[in-house]
Amino acid sequence: MSFSLKIIRKSEQITSLWSGGKTTQLAIYPEEADYSKRDFKWRISTAEVEVEESLFTHLPGIQRIIMILDGEMSLQHQGKHCMHLSPFEQDRFDGGWTTRSIGKVTDFNLMLAEGCEGDISTIHMNDGTHAEVLDNRDYSKRTDAFYCFKGRSRMNIDEKETIVLEQGDLITLNRDHTCNNLNIKLFNHDDDSTATIIKVSIFY
């Protein structure tokens, strides 16, 4: 079974300033893409919103999913819908909309260009072990990313490779349609602790 993986440690991630606070890019595809040029297919990032009210960057043609990690935020999409988000709740919207946020938070962001689909979910490792199968779906390529938001976690892939994720680390698993199901197991690294993993699945 063939797949490729990449570990992006917290120390390797690039943080930059924006008008409302700071943002950290966790992963971008293609890897040579430049967010400022909007030439990416997808991008995963976190952001710290340090002002009470801010206007989102206008990103026409980009689908956005935002999940709150810490704090609470209200999102107001002009002429569309409004959402109030608590930790681990999310909203999906068009980056071309005029969107205003109210509230100081830390959030997790997925941006998807045309031709990409994706979703975000949360894995709370309260009982020590989480297992899942990354099934085959009708796609050309698939990327699954696992971001260690809290605690420490061990990941086992097909009973072969074990990787330790420290808090703030991200791992991406890439494969194409020729790769069959992958069996993933996640464990708390320390038996007496808990961990929270944010999982992203992208199809393109």
Side-chain angles (χ1 to χ4, degrees):
M1 185 176 298
S2 61
F3 62 91
S4 64
L5 63 85
K6 183 175 183 180
I7 306 170
I8 302 103
R9 299 295 183 187
K10 184 177 181 179
S11 60
E12 301 171 331
Q13 298 160 10
I14 299 172
T15 298
S16 56
L17 299 177
W18 62 289
S19 59
K22 53 180 176 281
T23 182
T24 300
Q25 179 171 288
L26 303 177
I28 195 167
Y29 180 84
E31 290 188 15
E32 64 273 13
D34 185 339
Y35 169 68
S36 65
K37 296 179 180 177
R38 311 290 192 256
D39 60 354
F40 58 89
K41 286 188 175 293
W42 54 260
R43 181 180 188 258
I44 303 170
S45 63
T46 60
E48 293 183 25
V49 182
E50 298 172 341
V51 296
E52 187 61 33
E53 187 171 332
S54 64
L55 193 65
F56 274 35
T57 301
H58 193 59
L59 296 170
I62 302 294
Q63 185 182 44
R64 301 194 62 174
I65 307 174
I66 287 186
M67 173 186 282
I68 302 302
L69 297 177
D70 186 45
E72 294 193 6
M73 171 189 280
S74 291
L75 290 177
Q76 301 175 349
H77 307 293
Q78 185 175 318
K80 306 296 181 180
H81 67 271
C82 297
M83 289 282 290
H84 184 81
L85 301 176
S86 297
F88 307 114
E89 294 179 339
Q90 58 185 280
D91 188 23
R92 184 187 296 258
F93 57 96
D94 190 318
W97 294 354
T98 299
T99 297
R100 187 175 301 277
S101 69
I102 300 172
K104 298 179 180 181
V105 299
T106 301
D107 59 38
F108 187 91
N109 300 271
L110 174 61
M111 298 181 181
L112 301 163
E114 187 175 351
C116 297
E117 298 179 6
D119 51 63
I120 303 174
S121 58
T122 308
I123 302 169
H124 294 291
M125 305 283 293
N126 296 321
D127 57 357
T129 304
H130 174 85
E132 64 179 273
V133 175
L134 302 183
D135 60 337
N136 257 337
R137 197 185 290 190
D138 186 17
Y139 62 90
S140 295
K141 292 183 180 180
R142 172 175 180 162
T143 296
D144 291 278
F146 297 83
Y147 174 67
C148 188
F149 170 55
K150 282 187 177 179
R152 304 168 72 202
S153 180
R154 297 193 318 275
M155 173 184 286
N156 182 274
I157 304 170
D158 272 357
E159 304 291 344
K160 297 175 182 177
E161 188 156 4
T162 299
I163 299 156
V164 175
L165 292 176
E166 304 285 346
Q167 186 166 304
D169 292 347
L170 179 93
I171 183 170
T172 59
L173 296 172
N174 303 293
R175 57 200 175 105
D176 61 25
H177 65 281
T178 64
C179 185
N180 294 323
N181 298 347
L182 283 181
N183 291 290
I184 303 292
K185 288 185 180 178
L186 293 164
F187 307 88
N188 288 341
H189 188 68
D190 305 304
D191 293 337
D192 59 348
S193 67
T194 62
T196 298
I197 303 292
I198 309 300
K199 179 194 168 191
V200 180
S201 295
I202 307 169
F203 305 90
Y204 49 106

